Structures are given as C-alpha cells and as structure tokens.
Amino acid sequence: MHEDTTAPRWLHDLGLAARAWRDLAQVQWQLLGAELRLARSAAKITLVAVLLSLVFAAALVLTLLALLGVALSQWLGWWVWSLLVLIGLLALGLGMIRMLIQRCLHWMSMPSVRASWRALGRGSASSDDNAMH
C-alpha cells in the first residue's frame, strides 16, 4: 500500500480561498476606516467653511452698510442724518423679521399643524422601533 502524504489539491485551493477572503476582509476594514476618517475631516472642514462664510457675509454686510452710510451722508449733507436713516432702515427690517417669526409661530401652533407634527413624531418613533428589531 502506497500512502500519499501530500494534501489533496482541493484542500490547498480551500486554504488559498480562505487567505484571499481574509485579505479581502482586512482591506475592506481598512477602506471603511479611511472613509470614516474622511467623513470626520469633511464634517470638520464643512463646519469651518460655514463659520468662515458667516464671518465674510457679516463683513460684506458691514461694508455695504458703511458704503450706504457714506452715500447717505453725501446726499443728506450730514453724517448724523445718514446714521439716523440707517438706524430706521435696520429697525424696520428687524421689525419685519419679528413679525415673520410671530406669523411662523402662529402657523406652527394651529391644530392641523400640531397634529401633523405629532404624526411625524409617531412615525419616526415607530420607524426607530422597527429599526431596532
């Protein structure tokens, strides 16, 4: 009787497949980690970009108000009058925004809107419960 001490070919192929599967899983985990790091850095960069855009928008508004103040002082002949006109315009804009906010709060307090908010809350709560099970 002659015994063959070498492993069968299929066992060798199975070992190669298992190693390839392990390498693939390892690479997938590395890719997932890289994507998560990229997402975190993208979120940080986005927050910084939003902050910078707010700073530049405020600077632009202040510059435009200064130019408007200069133009008004040239037109009205005295810088105090231009400041009073700017104060009036800003107070008028603030008052209109306040009325808009009040109107939105009134709309949100209407029974049909409150009912839709409740339904939305129940729907998201039930979908959260379904996602957990």
Side-chain angles (χ1 to χ4, degrees):
M1 296 212 73
H2 182 269
E3 269 188 46
D4 192 8
T5 58
T6 61
R9 176 85 180 144
W10 65 270
L11 192 58
H12 180 266
D13 291 343
L14 185 64
L16 286 176
R19 271 184 251 122
W21 186 260
R22 185 192 65 212
D23 292 343
L24 177 65
Q26 184 179 10
V27 169
Q28 288 294 331
W29 276 110
Q30 289 172 352
L31 181 62
L32 178 65
E35 287 176 350
L36 290 176
R37 286 189 300 276
L38 181 63
R40 276 196 303 264
S41 66
K44 290 175 187 175
I45 290 170
T46 302
L47 289 175
V48 169
V50 167
L51 178 64
L52 287 175
S53 68
L54 288 173
V55 168
F56 286 122
L60 178 64
V61 166
L62 291 175
T63 303
L64 290 174
L65 282 174
L67 286 174
L68 182 62
V70 168
L72 281 173
S73 68
Q74 293 294 320
W75 185 51
L76 297 172
W78 194 30
W79 62 271
V80 175
W81 290 118
S82 70
L83 287 179
L84 289 174
V85 169
L86 283 176
I87 288 170
L89 289 174
L90 291 174
L92 181 67
L94 186 61
M96 290 183 348
I97 294 297
R98 182 180 174 274
M99 288 185 340
L100 177 66
I101 290 171
Q102 277 183 322
R103 177 58 52 189
C104 289
L105 290 174
H106 172 71
W107 288 334
M108 288 173 47
S109 69
M110 292 180 150
S112 61
V113 175
R114 285 196 315 252
S116 64
W117 279 108
R118 276 193 301 273
L120 182 66
R122 279 194 303 267
S124 68
S126 67
S127 67
D128 288 344
D129 290 341
N130 290 339
M132 294 172 85
H133 295 297

